[in-house]
Amino acid sequence: MQKRWTILLKADPEKISSLQQSLKIHPAICKILVQRGIETFDQAKNFYRPNLTDLHDPWLMKDMDKAVNRIITAIEKQEKILVYGDYDVDGTTSVACLYQFLCKLHSNLDFYIPHRYREGYGVSKAGIDYAKENGFSLVISLDCGIKSVDLVAYAKTLGIDFIICDHHLPDTELPPAVAILNAKQKDCNYPYKELCGCGVVFKLITALTEKLNLPEEMAYQYLDLVATAIAADIVPMTGENRILAYFGLKKANEKPNNGIKALAHLSGLTKTLHINNLVFMIAPRVNAAGRMDDARKAVLMFVSENYEQALQYAEMLHSDNTDRKEADSTITSEALALIRGDEVLINKKSTVVFQPHWHKGVVGIVASRLIEHFYRPTVVLTQSGEYAAGSARSVPGFNLYEAVHACKEHLIGYGGHFAAAGMTIELDKIEAFRNKFEEVVSATILPELLLPEIVIDSEIKFKDITWSFYNIISQMEPFGPENLRPHFLVKNVFDTGYSKILKEEHLRFVLRQDNITLNGIGFGMAEKLSLLQLKKPVDIVFKIDENEWNSQKTLQLRILDFRLSDSSSY
C-alpha cells in the first residue's frame, strides 16, 4: 500500500541551537524535543528525569473534597460501598486500584463490572438494581458515568448516592451525583486534562491517603496498574501521564502486581517490561475477558493476594484471548474475502460488511484489521438478537462520528467519537445504511486521508546512528501519543546485494551509506525486494531498534517504508 510521507516542519533553529548548547546532545534529537514543546534545559530535565513530586495536587480537581468526605462518612457509618467500573482495561484496573485500597480501610464493600452484552457500556439499570437489592448506599463509578444523567437520578430515588470518576467528555447536563471527578468539566481547574479513568482514581486515592494521614506508598503501590491503563487507553503520553507511566513501568519491573506478573509470564515475557508490552501483551488479555466472557475475572486477577491465585485467573484471560484471536482472525479472513470478491466494494471509499454469525466481541478489532488492508472508514456488523450491531473505525483525520450521525435515519441507535463508533440497525436497513455511509464519506473525506501517513521527525545520516544516539532516544520512553518513538529519514542509501526475503513475507535489509553498513527489517515488505534490486539509491523511513543475537547486541533499523530516491519530493 502506498504511503504518504510527512516531514514535520522545521523547529525554530535558535531554540534547537540553544537547547543543544545546554544539553550537548545531537541536534536531530534537540529538534525533536523542540517539536514536542521541550525548549529549555529545565523542561528537558523534567522530561528525561520524571519525578513523582511533579504530580499535581489532587485537591485542585473539582469536587475532590466532596468525594473524599462522602467516602469517609460511608466508612465511619459502615455503609455498603459498591465500586463500579467498565469492562475494559481502564475500567478493570480502576476498580482493582480503588477496591484494594478501600479494603484496607473498610470491610463493607464489593465491586461490580457490567456484562458487555447483557448490560452494555457504563452505568446500567441492572447494576443500580443490584446495588439496591444488596443494600449499597454509595456507588463509586469509575471510567464511566459522566453521561448517565437519568440512571444516576434513578439511583437517587432509591436512596443511592453516586460519586463519578470519569475522563470522557461531559455533556452540558451532568448527572445529579454527590461528586464528579473529571478534569474535562468546564469549571474544573485541574491543570492536566488528559488523565485516563484509572489516573482519576489514582488522584482520588492520593487525596484519601493525604486526608487520612496514610503513607504515600499506599497510593504508589497501584502505579503499575495505572501505567497499564494509560498504555491501553491510548491517552497522550505527556505531563502527568508520562510521570505515572514512567514510575508505573518501574514498579511493573521491580515489584509487579500479581496479575501483571502472571500475564507477563503467560505472554512469554522474560526481559524488561516496556510500554509496548503493556499495549500488546497485557491489555489484549484483559480486554479479552469482557469481549469473550465476563470481565469480573480480570479484577479478581488484579486483586489476588498471591501469585498462584492470580495465575489461575490469568490463565482464564489467556484462554479468552486465544479464543478472541481465533475469532478475530477467522472473521477478518471472511471479511477480506467478501470485499475482494466484489468489484464494487473494492473501489469504494468506505467499507461496510455484515455477516450474522460473526462474534460481536471482536467486530471493532476486525474493523481496525480491515483498515490495514483497505485504508478507509470501516464498519463491521453482526446480528445481535433481532437487530444488527457493529463497530466502526476511522482513518486518522476523518471524523467518523459525524459521518455515522449523518446516517442516523437508518439507525436505531449510535454513539462514539472522532475515531470510533458503535451502532444498532434493523437488518433490512443495512444496505440503505451502506449506501448512505459511502455517499457521506465520498463527499467529505479528503483524498490524502485515504493514504496512510508516516510522520517523519527528522532527517539524519547513517553516521549519526550510534549507541549514544540510540540511548538518548530510548530515554524518551515511555512512548505513546504525542510522544511517539521518533521516525527518521535517511536519503540516498544503497542495497549491498545481501538483502533477502525472510519467511516469505518480511524483508531483511543490508544497506550502505558512504562507508557505513547497517541492517534492517521491514515486516510484510517482501514484495518490494525488486525495488532494492534495481541498484538505485533509495530513501528509507525507520525507527531505531536494538537487536540481540547470541548475547550480542547491535542496532538495527525497523524500516517503515522506502522508495527510490528520485521518486518524489516530500
Side-chain angles (χ1 to χ4, degrees), residues 11-45 48:
D12 184 331
E14 283 185 20
K15 288 178 179 173
I16 296 169
S17 173
S18 168
L19 194 59
Q20 203 215 343
Q21 281 171 15
S22 59
L23 296 181
K24 305 288 190 288
I25 60 175
H26 196 287
I29 299 175
C30 293
K31 172 180 180 272
I32 293 166
L33 292 173
V34 171
Q35 281 167 180
R36 297 183 185 190
I38 299 154
E39 299 178 350
T40 66
F41 178 84
D42 286 342
Q43 286 174 328
K45 185 180 166 213
Y48 276 112

PDB file of all heavy atoms in Angstrom, residues 11-45 48:
ATOM      1  N   ALA A  11      11.711  22.997  13.307  1.00  0.00           N
ATOM      2  CA  ALA A  11      11.515  23.780  14.522  1.00  0.00           C
ATOM      3  C   ALA A  11      12.428  25.010  14.465  1.00  0.00           C
ATOM      4  O   ALA A  11      13.353  25.080  13.651  1.00  0.00           O
ATOM      5  CB  ALA A  11      11.840  22.908  15.733  1.00  0.00           C
ATOM      6  N   ASP A  12      12.174  25.967  15.341  1.00  0.00           N
ATOM      7  CA  ASP A  12      12.945  27.211  15.392  1.00  0.00           C
ATOM      8  C   ASP A  12      14.442  26.898  15.588  1.00  0.00           C
ATOM      9  O   ASP A  12      14.839  26.352  16.622  1.00  0.00           O
ATOM     10  CB  ASP A  12      12.412  28.045  16.572  1.00  0.00           C
ATOM     11  CG  ASP A  12      13.075  29.405  16.665  1.00  0.00           C
ATOM     12  OD1 ASP A  12      14.237  29.523  16.245  1.00  0.00           O
ATOM     13  OD2 ASP A  12      12.437  30.344  17.173  1.00  0.00           O
ATOM     14  N   PRO A  13      15.291  27.259  14.596  1.00  0.00           N
ATOM     15  CA  PRO A  13      16.730  26.924  14.677  1.00  0.00           C
ATOM     16  C   PRO A  13      17.407  27.494  15.921  1.00  0.00           C
ATOM     17  O   PRO A  13      18.300  26.868  16.489  1.00  0.00           O
ATOM     18  CB  PRO A  13      17.318  27.534  13.406  1.00  0.00           C
ATOM     19  CG  PRO A  13      16.153  27.757  12.497  1.00  0.00           C
ATOM     20  CD  PRO A  13      14.964  27.973  13.366  1.00  0.00           C
ATOM     21  N   GLU A  14      16.969  28.679  16.353  1.00  0.00           N
ATOM     22  CA  GLU A  14      17.590  29.289  17.542  1.00  0.00           C
ATOM     23  C   GLU A  14      17.296  28.472  18.797  1.00  0.00           C
ATOM     24  O   GLU A  14      18.153  28.272  19.650  1.00  0.00           O
ATOM     25  CB  GLU A  14      17.078  30.735  17.721  1.00  0.00           C
ATOM     26  CG  GLU A  14      17.727  31.693  16.754  1.00  0.00           C
ATOM     27  CD  GLU A  14      17.314  33.135  17.013  1.00  0.00           C
ATOM     28  OE1 GLU A  14      16.846  33.441  18.134  1.00  0.00           O
ATOM     29  OE2 GLU A  14      17.459  33.943  16.080  1.00  0.00           O
ATOM     30  N   LYS A  15      16.053  27.973  18.888  1.00  0.00           N
ATOM     31  CA  LYS A  15      15.685  27.154  20.054  1.00  0.00           C
ATOM     32  C   LYS A  15      16.458  25.830  20.044  1.00  0.00           C
ATOM     33  O   LYS A  15      16.905  25.350  21.084  1.00  0.00           O
ATOM     34  CB  LYS A  15      14.179  26.880  20.056  1.00  0.00           C
ATOM     35  CG  LYS A  15      13.349  28.103  20.414  1.00  0.00           C
ATOM     36  CD  LYS A  15      11.867  27.800  20.350  1.00  0.00           C
ATOM     37  CE  LYS A  15      11.041  29.027  20.730  1.00  0.00           C
ATOM     38  NZ  LYS A  15       9.594  28.830  20.522  1.00  0.00           N
ATOM     39  N   ILE A  16      16.613  25.255  18.837  1.00  0.00           N
ATOM     40  CA  ILE A  16      17.363  23.998  18.714  1.00  0.00           C
ATOM     41  C   ILE A  16      18.810  24.221  19.135  1.00  0.00           C
ATOM     42  O   ILE A  16      19.383  23.450  19.913  1.00  0.00           O
ATOM     43  CB  ILE A  16      17.311  23.457  17.263  1.00  0.00           C
ATOM     44  CG1 ILE A  16      15.870  23.096  16.879  1.00  0.00           C
ATOM     45  CG2 ILE A  16      18.205  22.233  17.098  1.00  0.00           C
ATOM     46  CD1 ILE A  16      15.681  22.804  15.398  1.00  0.00           C
ATOM     47  N   SER A  17      19.406  25.302  18.634  1.00  0.00           N
ATOM     48  CA  SER A  17      20.805  25.614  18.935  1.00  0.00           C
ATOM     49  C   SER A  17      21.002  25.857  20.427  1.00  0.00           C
ATOM     50  O   SER A  17      21.952  25.360  21.038  1.00  0.00           O
ATOM     51  CB  SER A  17      21.211  26.846  18.124  1.00  0.00           C
ATOM     52  OG  SER A  17      22.484  27.262  18.500  1.00  0.00           O
ATOM     53  N   SER A  18      20.083  26.611  21.015  1.00  0.00           N
ATOM     54  CA  SER A  18      20.171  26.919  22.446  1.00  0.00           C
ATOM     55  C   SER A  18      20.067  25.644  23.279  1.00  0.00           C
ATOM     56  O   SER A  18      20.826  25.439  24.236  1.00  0.00           O
ATOM     57  CB  SER A  18      19.044  27.900  22.804  1.00  0.00           C
ATOM     58  OG  SER A  18      18.913  28.005  24.190  1.00  0.00           O
ATOM     59  N   LEU A  19      19.131  24.757  22.887  1.00  0.00           N
ATOM     60  CA  LEU A  19      18.943  23.503  23.629  1.00  0.00           C
ATOM     61  C   LEU A  19      20.172  22.606  23.468  1.00  0.00           C
ATOM     62  O   LEU A  19      20.620  21.966  24.421  1.00  0.00           O
ATOM     63  CB  LEU A  19      17.690  22.786  23.116  1.00  0.00           C
ATOM     64  CG  LEU A  19      17.148  21.639  23.991  1.00  0.00           C
ATOM     65  CD1 LEU A  19      16.784  22.122  25.388  1.00  0.00           C
ATOM     66  CD2 LEU A  19      15.933  20.991  23.340  1.00  0.00           C
ATOM     67  N   GLN A  20      20.741  22.617  22.265  1.00  0.00           N
ATOM     68  CA  GLN A  20      21.915  21.770  22.041  1.00  0.00           C
ATOM     69  C   GLN A  20      23.102  22.246  22.870  1.00  0.00           C
ATOM     70  O   GLN A  20      23.865  21.436  23.411  1.00  0.00           O
ATOM     71  CB  GLN A  20      22.271  21.743  20.552  1.00  0.00           C
ATOM     72  CG  GLN A  20      23.080  20.497  20.201  1.00  0.00           C
ATOM     73  CD  GLN A  20      24.127  20.739  19.137  1.00  0.00           C
ATOM     74  OE1 GLN A  20      24.075  21.735  18.422  1.00  0.00           O
ATOM     75  NE2 GLN A  20      25.071  19.829  19.038  1.00  0.00           N
ATOM     76  N   GLN A  21      23.245  23.546  22.995  1.00  0.00           N
ATOM     77  CA  GLN A  21      24.350  24.091  23.803  1.00  0.00           C
ATOM     78  C   GLN A  21      24.228  23.672  25.262  1.00  0.00           C
ATOM     79  O   GLN A  21      25.215  23.383  25.920  1.00  0.00           O
ATOM     80  CB  GLN A  21      24.383  25.617  23.687  1.00  0.00           C
ATOM     81  CG  GLN A  21      25.024  26.091  22.389  1.00  0.00           C
ATOM     82  CD  GLN A  21      24.852  27.583  22.171  1.00  0.00           C
ATOM     83  OE1 GLN A  21      24.502  28.308  23.096  1.00  0.00           O
ATOM     84  NE2 GLN A  21      25.086  28.036  20.948  1.00  0.00           N
ATOM     85  N   SER A  22      22.979  23.626  25.763  1.00  0.00           N
ATOM     86  CA  SER A  22      22.815  23.283  27.186  1.00  0.00           C
ATOM     87  C   SER A  22      22.811  21.780  27.427  1.00  0.00           C
ATOM     88  O   SER A  22      23.260  21.318  28.466  1.00  0.00           O
ATOM     89  CB  SER A  22      21.539  23.917  27.757  1.00  0.00           C
ATOM     90  OG  SER A  22      20.408  23.486  27.040  1.00  0.00           O
ATOM     91  N   LEU A  23      22.329  20.979  26.462  1.00  0.00           N
ATOM     92  CA  LEU A  23      22.237  19.523  26.673  1.00  0.00           C
ATOM     93  C   LEU A  23      23.436  18.761  26.118  1.00  0.00           C
ATOM     94  O   LEU A  23      23.695  17.626  26.548  1.00  0.00           O
ATOM     95  CB  LEU A  23      20.957  18.971  26.022  1.00  0.00           C
ATOM     96  CG  LEU A  23      19.612  19.434  26.570  1.00  0.00           C
ATOM     97  CD1 LEU A  23      18.482  18.746  25.811  1.00  0.00           C
ATOM     98  CD2 LEU A  23      19.483  19.150  28.059  1.00  0.00           C
ATOM     99  N   LYS A  24      24.126  19.362  25.138  1.00  0.00           N
ATOM    100  CA  LYS A  24      25.287  18.709  24.499  1.00  0.00           C
ATOM    101  C   LYS A  24      24.914  17.354  23.887  1.00  0.00           C
ATOM    102  O   LYS A  24      25.626  16.365  24.051  1.00  0.00           O
ATOM    103  CB  LYS A  24      26.430  18.524  25.516  1.00  0.00           C
ATOM    104  CG  LYS A  24      26.887  19.787  26.221  1.00  0.00           C
ATOM    105  CD  LYS A  24      27.666  20.694  25.270  1.00  0.00           C
ATOM    106  CE  LYS A  24      28.344  21.843  25.997  1.00  0.00           C
ATOM    107  NZ  LYS A  24      27.454  22.881  26.489  1.00  0.00           N
ATOM    108  N   ILE A  25      23.766  17.302  23.213  1.00  0.00           N
ATOM    109  CA  ILE A  25      23.353  16.074  22.514  1.00  0.00           C
ATOM    110  C   ILE A  25      23.117  16.393  21.040  1.00  0.00           C
ATOM    111  O   ILE A  25      23.116  17.561  20.640  1.00  0.00           O
ATOM    112  CB  ILE A  25      22.095  15.430  23.151  1.00  0.00           C
ATOM    113  CG1 ILE A  25      20.902  16.395  23.113  1.00  0.00           C
ATOM    114  CG2 ILE A  25      22.370  14.943  24.566  1.00  0.00           C
ATOM    115  CD1 ILE A  25      19.583  15.794  23.603  1.00  0.00           C
ATOM    116  N   HIS A  26      22.910  15.365  20.232  1.00  0.00           N
ATOM    117  CA  HIS A  26      22.789  15.511  18.782  1.00  0.00           C
ATOM    118  C   HIS A  26      21.685  16.505  18.410  1.00  0.00           C
ATOM    119  O   HIS A  26      20.587  16.462  18.975  1.00  0.00           O
ATOM    120  CB  HIS A  26      22.479  14.141  18.166  1.00  0.00           C
ATOM    121  CG  HIS A  26      22.713  14.085  16.692  1.00  0.00           C
ATOM    122  ND1 HIS A  26      21.866  14.698  15.792  1.00  0.00           N
ATOM    123  CD2 HIS A  26      23.692  13.505  15.962  1.00  0.00           C
ATOM    124  CE1 HIS A  26      22.315  14.491  14.562  1.00  0.00           C
ATOM    125  NE2 HIS A  26      23.425  13.759  14.632  1.00  0.00           N
ATOM    126  N   PRO A  27      21.956  17.418  17.448  1.00  0.00           N
ATOM    127  CA  PRO A  27      20.942  18.421  17.063  1.00  0.00           C
ATOM    128  C   PRO A  27      19.631  17.808  16.571  1.00  0.00           C
ATOM    129  O   PRO A  27      18.557  18.405  16.744  1.00  0.00           O
ATOM    130  CB  PRO A  27      21.630  19.229  15.961  1.00  0.00           C
ATOM    131  CG  PRO A  27      22.876  18.489  15.603  1.00  0.00           C
ATOM    132  CD  PRO A  27      23.243  17.636  16.763  1.00  0.00           C
ATOM    133  N   ALA A  28      19.689  16.612  15.954  1.00  0.00           N
ATOM    134  CA  ALA A  28      18.442  15.977  15.476  1.00  0.00           C
ATOM    135  C   ALA A  28      17.530  15.652  16.654  1.00  0.00           C
ATOM    136  O   ALA A  28      16.297  15.780  16.561  1.00  0.00           O
ATOM    137  CB  ALA A  28      18.762  14.701  14.698  1.00  0.00           C
ATOM    138  N   ILE A  29      18.123  15.249  17.782  1.00  0.00           N
ATOM    139  CA  ILE A  29      17.306  14.957  18.975  1.00  0.00           C
ATOM    140  C   ILE A  29      16.781  16.254  19.566  1.00  0.00           C
ATOM    141  O   ILE A  29      15.620  16.328  19.995  1.00  0.00           O
ATOM    142  CB  ILE A  29      18.116  14.144  20.015  1.00  0.00           C
ATOM    143  CG1 ILE A  29      18.562  12.810  19.410  1.00  0.00           C
ATOM    144  CG2 ILE A  29      17.279  13.897  21.282  1.00  0.00           C
ATOM    145  CD1 ILE A  29      19.464  11.973  20.298  1.00  0.00           C
ATOM    146  N   CYS A  30      17.612  17.299  19.552  1.00  0.00           N
ATOM    147  CA  CYS A  30      17.154  18.612  20.047  1.00  0.00           C
ATOM    148  C   CYS A  30      15.978  19.118  19.215  1.00  0.00           C
ATOM    149  O   CYS A  30      15.029  19.688  19.747  1.00  0.00           O
ATOM    150  CB  CYS A  30      18.302  19.614  20.024  1.00  0.00           C
ATOM    151  SG  CYS A  30      19.605  19.206  21.197  1.00  0.00           S
ATOM    152  N   LYS A  31      16.058  18.886  17.892  1.00  0.00           N
ATOM    153  CA  LYS A  31      14.959  19.299  17.005  1.00  0.00           C
ATOM    154  C   LYS A  31      13.665  18.583  17.402  1.00  0.00           C
ATOM    155  O   LYS A  31      12.596  19.203  17.499  1.00  0.00           O
ATOM    156  CB  LYS A  31      15.316  18.970  15.556  1.00  0.00           C
ATOM    157  CG  LYS A  31      14.186  19.172  14.550  1.00  0.00           C
ATOM    158  CD  LYS A  31      14.624  18.815  13.137  1.00  0.00           C
ATOM    159  CE  LYS A  31      13.522  19.004  12.122  1.00  0.00           C
ATOM    160  NZ  LYS A  31      12.657  17.842  11.950  1.00  0.00           N
ATOM    161  N   ILE A  32      13.766  17.284  17.662  1.00  0.00           N
ATOM    162  CA  ILE A  32      12.576  16.508  18.041  1.00  0.00           C
ATOM    163  C   ILE A  32      12.009  17.018  19.363  1.00  0.00           C
ATOM    164  O   ILE A  32      10.798  17.177  19.520  1.00  0.00           O
ATOM    165  CB  ILE A  32      12.924  15.004  18.129  1.00  0.00           C
ATOM    166  CG1 ILE A  32      13.262  14.465  16.733  1.00  0.00           C
ATOM    167  CG2 ILE A  32      11.768  14.206  18.731  1.00  0.00           C
ATOM    168  CD1 ILE A  32      13.936  13.107  16.728  1.00  0.00           C
ATOM    169  N   LEU A  33      12.905  17.304  20.320  1.00  0.00           N
ATOM    170  CA  LEU A  33      12.449  17.808  21.630  1.00  0.00           C
ATOM    171  C   LEU A  33      11.719  19.140  21.470  1.00  0.00           C
ATOM    172  O   LEU A  33      10.642  19.337  22.038  1.00  0.00           O
ATOM    173  CB  LEU A  33      13.635  17.954  22.589  1.00  0.00           C
ATOM    174  CG  LEU A  33      14.296  16.644  23.037  1.00  0.00           C
ATOM    175  CD1 LEU A  33      15.563  16.930  23.837  1.00  0.00           C
ATOM    176  CD2 LEU A  33      13.332  15.797  23.878  1.00  0.00           C
ATOM    177  N   VAL A  34      12.294  20.038  20.673  1.00  0.00           N
ATOM    178  CA  VAL A  34      11.657  21.354  20.464  1.00  0.00           C
ATOM    179  C   VAL A  34      10.295  21.173  19.787  1.00  0.00           C
ATOM    180  O   VAL A  34       9.311  21.823  20.155  1.00  0.00           O
ATOM    181  CB  VAL A  34      12.582  22.297  19.659  1.00  0.00           C
ATOM    182  CG1 VAL A  34      11.841  23.568  19.249  1.00  0.00           C
ATOM    183  CG2 VAL A  34      13.820  22.653  20.480  1.00  0.00           C
ATOM    184  N   GLN A  35      10.239  20.255  18.808  1.00  0.00           N
ATOM    185  CA  GLN A  35       8.955  19.969  18.141  1.00  0.00           C
ATOM    186  C   GLN A  35       7.913  19.477  19.138  1.00  0.00           C
ATOM    187  O   GLN A  35       6.716  19.641  18.928  1.00  0.00           O
ATOM    188  CB  GLN A  35       9.155  18.900  17.057  1.00  0.00           C
ATOM    189  CG  GLN A  35       9.751  19.469  15.783  1.00  0.00           C
ATOM    190  CD  GLN A  35      10.261  18.402  14.809  1.00  0.00           C
ATOM    191  OE1 GLN A  35      10.755  18.727  13.745  1.00  0.00           O
ATOM    192  NE2 GLN A  35      10.165  17.132  15.167  1.00  0.00           N
ATOM    193  N   ARG A  36       8.360  18.852  20.206  1.00  0.00           N
ATOM    194  CA  ARG A  36       7.439  18.311  21.217  1.00  0.00           C
ATOM    195  C   ARG A  36       7.255  19.256  22.403  1.00  0.00           C
ATOM    196  O   ARG A  36       6.779  18.858  23.465  1.00  0.00           O
ATOM    197  CB  ARG A  36       7.932  16.929  21.670  1.00  0.00           C
ATOM    198  CG  ARG A  36       7.912  15.946  20.516  1.00  0.00           C
ATOM    199  CD  ARG A  36       8.323  14.531  20.855  1.00  0.00           C
ATOM    200  NE  ARG A  36       8.364  13.733  19.632  1.00  0.00           N
ATOM    201  CZ  ARG A  36       8.503  12.419  19.581  1.00  0.00           C
ATOM    202  NH1 ARG A  36       8.621  11.732  20.707  1.00  0.00           N
ATOM    203  NH2 ARG A  36       8.529  11.773  18.431  1.00  0.00           N
ATOM    204  N   GLY A  37       7.665  20.506  22.223  1.00  0.00           N
ATOM    205  CA  GLY A  37       7.403  21.522  23.251  1.00  0.00           C
ATOM    206  C   GLY A  37       8.422  21.560  24.371  1.00  0.00           C
ATOM    207  O   GLY A  37       8.207  22.205  25.396  1.00  0.00           O
ATOM    208  N   ILE A  38       9.562  20.880  24.183  1.00  0.00           N
ATOM    209  CA  ILE A  38      10.612  20.874  25.221  1.00  0.00           C
ATOM    210  C   ILE A  38      11.727  21.777  24.708  1.00  0.00           C
ATOM    211  O   ILE A  38      12.503  21.401  23.829  1.00  0.00           O
ATOM    212  CB  ILE A  38      11.106  19.426  25.482  1.00  0.00           C
ATOM    213  CG1 ILE A  38       9.944  18.579  25.984  1.00  0.00           C
ATOM    214  CG2 ILE A  38      12.261  19.408  26.471  1.00  0.00           C
ATOM    215  CD1 ILE A  38      10.069  17.118  25.716  1.00  0.00           C
ATOM    216  N   GLU A  39      11.797  23.003  25.255  1.00  0.00           N
ATOM    217  CA  GLU A  39      12.651  24.023  24.651  1.00  0.00           C
ATOM    218  C   GLU A  39      13.788  24.495  25.548  1.00  0.00           C
ATOM    219  O   GLU A  39      14.713  25.146  25.089  1.00  0.00           O
ATOM    220  CB  GLU A  39      11.793  25.235  24.256  1.00  0.00           C
ATOM    221  CG  GLU A  39      10.710  24.879  23.242  1.00  0.00           C
ATOM    222  CD  GLU A  39       9.823  26.059  22.893  1.00  0.00           C
ATOM    223  OE1 GLU A  39       9.925  27.102  23.585  1.00  0.00           O
ATOM    224  OE2 GLU A  39       9.042  25.946  21.938  1.00  0.00           O
ATOM    225  N   THR A  40      13.708  24.182  26.851  1.00  0.00           N
ATOM    226  CA  THR A  40      14.735  24.671  27.773  1.00  0.00           C
ATOM    227  C   THR A  40      15.388  23.515  28.520  1.00  0.00           C
ATOM    228  O   THR A  40      14.870  22.399  28.535  1.00  0.00           O
ATOM    229  CB  THR A  40      14.107  25.620  28.823  1.00  0.00           C
ATOM    230  OG1 THR A  40      13.208  24.840  29.648  1.00  0.00           O
ATOM    231  CG2 THR A  40      13.333  26.753  28.175  1.00  0.00           C
ATOM    232  N   PHE A  41      16.513  23.826  29.157  1.00  0.00           N
ATOM    233  CA  PHE A  41      17.231  22.803  29.931  1.00  0.00           C
ATOM    234  C   PHE A  41      16.327  22.222  31.021  1.00  0.00           C
ATOM    235  O   PHE A  41      16.272  21.005  31.219  1.00  0.00           O
ATOM    236  CB  PHE A  41      18.490  23.419  30.553  1.00  0.00           C
ATOM    237  CG  PHE A  41      19.262  22.437  31.398  1.00  0.00           C
ATOM    238  CD1 PHE A  41      20.173  21.563  30.818  1.00  0.00           C
ATOM    239  CD2 PHE A  41      19.070  22.381  32.772  1.00  0.00           C
ATOM    240  CE1 PHE A  41      20.878  20.640  31.592  1.00  0.00           C
ATOM    241  CE2 PHE A  41      19.763  21.458  33.555  1.00  0.00           C
ATOM    242  CZ  PHE A  41      20.675  20.592  32.952  1.00  0.00           C
ATOM    243  N   ASP A  42      15.590  23.091  31.718  1.00  0.00           N
ATOM    244  CA  ASP A  42      14.724  22.617  32.815  1.00  0.00           C
ATOM    245  C   ASP A  42      13.593  21.739  32.302  1.00  0.00           C
ATOM    246  O   ASP A  42      13.251  20.724  32.917  1.00  0.00           O
ATOM    247  CB  ASP A  42      14.151  23.811  33.601  1.00  0.00           C
ATOM    248  CG  ASP A  42      15.201  24.461  34.492  1.00  0.00           C
ATOM    249  OD1 ASP A  42      16.232  23.794  34.748  1.00  0.00           O
ATOM    250  OD2 ASP A  42      15.006  25.609  34.898  1.00  0.00           O
ATOM    251  N   GLN A  43      13.001  22.128  31.158  1.00  0.00           N
ATOM    252  CA  GLN A  43      11.938  21.287  30.575  1.00  0.00           C
ATOM    253  C   GLN A  43      12.493  19.927  30.164  1.00  0.00           C
ATOM    254  O   GLN A  43      11.850  18.896  30.364  1.00  0.00           O
ATOM    255  CB  GLN A  43      11.320  21.998  29.358  1.00  0.00           C
ATOM    256  CG  GLN A  43      10.408  23.154  29.738  1.00  0.00           C
ATOM    257  CD  GLN A  43       9.933  23.930  28.517  1.00  0.00           C
ATOM    258  OE1 GLN A  43      10.640  24.040  27.505  1.00  0.00           O
ATOM    259  NE2 GLN A  43       8.736  24.481  28.586  1.00  0.00           N
ATOM    260  N   ALA A  44      13.703  19.931  29.614  1.00  0.00           N
ATOM    261  CA  ALA A  44      14.332  18.667  29.212  1.00  0.00           C
ATOM    262  C   ALA A  44      14.645  17.817  30.442  1.00  0.00           C
ATOM    263  O   ALA A  44      14.451  16.595  30.425  1.00  0.00           O
ATOM    264  CB  ALA A  44      15.608  18.946  28.420  1.00  0.00           C
ATOM    265  N   LYS A  45      15.105  18.459  31.500  1.00  0.00           N
ATOM    266  CA  LYS A  45      15.419  17.727  32.740  1.00  0.00           C
ATOM    267  C   LYS A  45      14.148  17.067  33.290  1.00  0.00           C
ATOM    268  O   LYS A  45      14.150  15.897  33.687  1.00  0.00           O
ATOM    269  CB  LYS A  45      16.018  18.696  33.767  1.00  0.00           C
ATOM    270  CG  LYS A  45      16.483  18.016  35.044  1.00  0.00           C
ATOM    271  CD  LYS A  45      17.073  19.031  36.009  1.00  0.00           C
ATOM    272  CE  LYS A  45      17.217  18.404  37.374  1.00  0.00           C
ATOM    273  NZ  LYS A  45      17.015  19.368  38.462  1.00  0.00           N
ATOM    274  N   TYR A  48      13.269  14.099  30.855  1.00  0.00           N
ATOM    275  CA  TYR A  48      14.151  12.921  30.925  1.00  0.00           C
ATOM    276  C   TYR A  48      14.254  12.339  32.337  1.00  0.00           C
ATOM    277  O   TYR A  48      14.593  11.167  32.494  1.00  0.00           O
ATOM    278  CB  TYR A  48      15.555  13.279  30.420  1.00  0.00           C
ATOM    279  CG  TYR A  48      15.686  13.202  28.922  1.00  0.00           C
ATOM    280  CD1 TYR A  48      15.875  14.347  28.144  1.00  0.00           C
ATOM    281  CD2 TYR A  48      15.648  11.982  28.261  1.00  0.00           C
ATOM    282  CE1 TYR A  48      16.013  14.270  26.762  1.00  0.00           C
ATOM    283  CE2 TYR A  48      15.774  11.889  26.880  1.00  0.00           C
ATOM    284  CZ  TYR A  48      15.953  13.032  26.138  1.00  0.00           C
ATOM    285  OH  TYR A  48      16.074  12.948  24.772  1.00  0.00           O
TER     286      TYR A  48
END
